[in-house]
């Protein structure tokens, strides 16, 4: 769970997740363009790629390769684990 919180701690990575939530299945190039236009994040493609690797290690992003392209998809399952651990328990005690 430490990797999950580390991944969520960075505002650029949260912006990447926002973009994947809005338009799932994007390439690195598409994500970089959207981050510049919508979030004014001018990081290099290499930097965004490293953010994506960290998100993938935390289980928040899944990757699917099709030919030369690598598409990124959001995976909310780790977030559901957080919800079950703290939020759902709080509902049980009310």
């Amino acid at each position: 769970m430490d990797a999950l919180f580390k991944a969520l701690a960075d505002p650029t990575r949260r912006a990447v997740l926002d973009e994947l939530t809005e338009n799932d299945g994007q390439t690195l190039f598409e994500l970089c363009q959207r981050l510049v236009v919508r979030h004014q994040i001018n990081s290099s493609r290499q930097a965004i790629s490293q953010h994506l690797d960290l998100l993938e290690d935390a289980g928040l992003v899944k990757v699917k390769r099709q030919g030369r392209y690598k598409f990124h998809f959001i995976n909310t399952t780790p977030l559901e684990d957080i919800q079950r651990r703290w939020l759902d328990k709080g509902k049980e005690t009310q």
Side-chain angles (χ1 to χ4, degrees), residues 12 28 32 35-36 41-51:
T12 299
L28 174 62
C32 289
L35 289 171
V36 169
I41 296 173
N42 290 312
S43 299
S44 67
R45 275 198 267 173
Q46 183 179 16
I48 299 301
S49 178
Q50 290 173 346
H51 284 300

Side-chain angles (χ1 to χ4, degrees), residues 80 82-93:
E80 293 166 3
I82 290 173
Q83 180 176 0
R84 276 192 297 277
R85 183 170 176 171
W86 288 296
L87 297 176
D88 291 348
K89 279 188 178 179
K91 291 178 184 173
E92 293 171 5
T93 58

Side-chain angles (χ1 to χ4, degrees), residues 4 7-8 13 16-25 52 54-64 71-82 84:
L4 177 61
L8 293 172
R13 289 192 285 271
V16 168
L17 292 175
D18 288 343
E19 289 305 319
L20 290 175
T21 299
E22 191 166 308
N23 188 15
D24 212 8
L52 285 167
L54 208 145
L55 289 168
E56 189 178 353
D57 290 345
L60 290 167
V61 169
K62 298 277 185 185
V63 173
K64 187 174 188 179
F71 295 92
H72 301 86
F73 298 88
I74 190 166
N75 178 25
T76 59
T77 302
L79 300 175
E80 293 166 3
D81 293 342
I82 290 173
R84 276 192 297 277

